[in-house]
Amino acid sequence: MQTPKIIAFANQKGGSGKSTSAAHAAFWLAQKGLSVMLVDADGQQSSSAWLNELGLDYKVLIDPEQLFESLPAFSDDYDVVVVDGPGSLSEVTKAILTRCDLVLVPVVSQKMLPVTKLLRFLSETMQLIRRFD
Ligand SMILES: Nc1ncnc2c1ncn2[C@@H]1O[C@H](COP(=O)(O)OP(=O)(O)OP(=O)(O)O)[C@@H](O)[C@H]1O
Ligand SMILES: [Mg+2]
C-alpha cells in the first residue's frame, strides 16, 4: 500500500474526537521526523490552536474550493498533510474526502449509528470522483 500523504479525520458527529486525533497524529508524525502540515478545516480551530502551542505548521482553511486546490499543493511541500474536518457533511467535507488518500473516522461507541450517514456521503463522493476520472 502506498503511504498516505493526505490523512483526514472526518465525522459529521460533533465531539467525536476529530481535532484531538488530528493534533495528536500531526505531533506524532512530526516526532517521527516527517515534515507535517495540519490543515484545520474546523470552524472551532482547536487543533490549529494546539499546533500553534507546539510550534508546528498549520493552516486554517474553511473554504471548500480553497481546500480542493490547496491540499495537493501542500502534499507536494510536506511529507504528510493532516486534515481536521468540520462536524458536518458539507461541501468542505466533500472537498476533503475528494482530496485525501486516507480518511479516519473517530467514533464514540454510543454514537456509531450516525457514521452510516458519513459512509453514504463517502460513497456518493467516490461516485462523483469516478465520474471525473
Ligand atoms: N480518545 C479520547 N478519549 C477521551 N476523550 C477524548 C478523546 N478524544 C477526544 N476526547 C475529548 O472529547 C472532546 C471532543 O473532542 P474533539 O474536540 O477532538 O472532537 P471533534 O470531533 O473535533 O469535535 P467538533 O466536531 O466539535 O469539532 C474533547 O473534550 C476531547 O478532549
Ligand atoms: Mg473539532
Side-chain angles (χ1 to χ4, degrees):
M1 186 180 128
Q2 211 185 335
T3 310
K5 293 244 338 163
I6 305 177
I7 304 172
F9 288 84
N11 188 341
Q12 85 278 11
K13 194 76 195 162
S16 55
K18 297 177 289 292
S19 299
T20 309
S21 307
H24 280 80
F27 183 67
W28 180 75
L29 290 162
Q31 275 198 320
K32 295 227 159 255
L34 298 171
S35 62
V36 184
M37 155 73 95
L38 180 135
V39 174
D40 190 346
D42 177 1
Q44 296 175 83
Q45 294 170 22
S46 35
S47 55
S48 52
W50 293 327
L51 259 72
N52 190 32
E53 293 273 319
L54 294 166
L56 297 175
D57 288 356
Y58 67 90
K59 190 105 184 159
V60 177
L61 276 185
I62 51 168
D63 178 72
E65 280 180 28
Q66 262 191 318
L67 275 161
F68 191 81
E69 296 299 326
S70 304
L71 288 177
F74 291 146
S75 77
D76 288 340
D77 295 338
Y78 289 83
D79 294 326
V80 187
V81 180
V82 175
V83 191
D84 177 15
S88 62
L89 293 181
S90 56
E91 290 301 307
V92 169
T93 303
K94 203 180 281 177
I96 294 168
L97 293 179
T98 308
R99 287 305 201 194
C100 72
D101 302 312
L102 173 71
V103 58
L104 297 171
V105 184
V107 288
V108 178
S109 56
Q110 304 96 305
K111 294 179 182 164
M112 276 298 281
L113 208 54
V115 170
T116 54
K117 270 194 205 165
L118 176 82
L119 294 177
R120 209 172 308 131
F121 193 73
L122 183 60
S123 145
E124 285 165 15
T125 307
M126 293 297 291
Q127 281 171 23
L128 201 67
I129 294 169
R130 268 185 227 117
R131 228 177 294 155
F132 285 96
D133 268 352

